[in-house]
Amino acid sequence: MNKKAIIAGAAAAALLTTSLLVPSFAFLSGQSRKVVNRFVSGLISVDLKETLVDPETGKKIDDEPRVYENTYLTVAGRTVDKDPTPIVIKNSTSCYVYVGVRNEYTDLFTIENVGADWTLVADADHKLGEGVTVYKYKTVVANSDEDQKLSAVFEHVSISDTFDGTFHGESETESAIEARAYAVQSESTADLSDGYALDYFSNNDVFEN
Amino acid sequence: MNKHKFRTAVLLSVILCFIIVSPVLIQGSSAYIFGQSPICRGSFYAEPGESSVPESSVPWSSVPESSVPESSIPESSVPKSSIPESSVPEKSVPESSATTRTGDGTNTLPIIAMLLFSIIAIILLFAAIKRSNKRRSSND
């Protein structure tokens, strides 16, 4: 028997089987309406802003507007206003909120008045970058149809009275304190969220762009 | 090992790699939902000579207010350029830069790699079948 005959035989068998089986499904039958479960992927949007301050005095001008960047004249012994405040945007999935802060010169700038709603997060397994600290908001921020403004992570930054007009005697006359918020879904991550946040903030690029 | 066996071995190893790697790739591409905010920055600048004197060391009371008459400081003596640009209120920032970045944790790269892998494996499979068929027919 040649190959063509085998193929033809197989095709014929397949056709025959189909023609025999298909009519057997023609018995009385009924079907319900289909149930459709739509799975829409979740979304978390979080923002971080602070009160606009007067660059010369370092004091806030008013509660509004809130900005992404402030500039401060560095004066030894001065305490300036700086209150990074996360906002969880409406319709975000319930989440844990973290804020990472990078302070390049911890000996010159001290973060003051950390909010009661925020706790420092750290563990031995995660090596955070130079001057990086991570704070966690006390509770899960539940899903809401309105933007949720959380409390400020901290309120002031004090400048050391040993400041001599340059940063560590270098020619650089500018420094910065950067903050960024990170939120991760709360469901199924109760024991993992701190690790995720620390992983995220362990990457130095987080504060670069 | 002849050429045909070698090709089959290569093909099988590619498929095997795909089978082993794909679950890892798929697992790697699924992550928890997260979101991140833009950076909130406080820039500190120093003006040489001015900031070296601790603020607290000059008591306010030692400088009598009346000694510096207000009118003696002309408004124009404060150059406009001394006010850093970042002090402008939020509304002046273009809207596109103020959008919240959001990540859903899905990485498309492993999926694309997986698809490419599948396509290459299928092409190799067809090529191998075609070659073996040709060989058989030439042997016949």
Side-chain angles (χ1 to χ4, degrees), chain A residues 176-192:
Chain A
I177 294 178
E178 291 109 348
R180 185 164 222 169
Y182 168 86
V184 63
Q185 71 175 67
S186 55
E187 195 175 328
S188 313
T189 62
D191 301 327
L192 305 168

Side-chain angles (χ1 to χ4, degrees), chain A residues 44 46 49 66 68-72 74 76 78 163 165 173-181 183 185 196 200 209, chain B residues 32-46 50-52 54-55 84 86-87 89-90 98 100-102:
Chain A
I44 295 175
V46 63
K49 287 183 178 176
R66 301 184 73 77
Y68 290 114
E69 183 163 3
N70 270 307
T71 303
Y72 303 87
T74 315
R78 178 181 276 184
F163 180 68
T173 53
E174 268 193 43
S175 176
I177 294 178
E178 291 109 348
R180 185 164 222 169
Q185 71 175 67
Y196 285 137
Y200 177 79
N209 46 45
Chain B
Y32 291 114
I33 306 163
F34 72 96
Q36 62 182 10
S37 74
I39 292 172
C40 184
R41 194 184 310 270
S43 300
F44 292 81
Y45 69 97
E50 188 174 333
S51 46
S52 59
E55 207 172 62
S86 55
S87 68
E90 187 195 348
T100 308
R101 283 179 228 171
T102 314

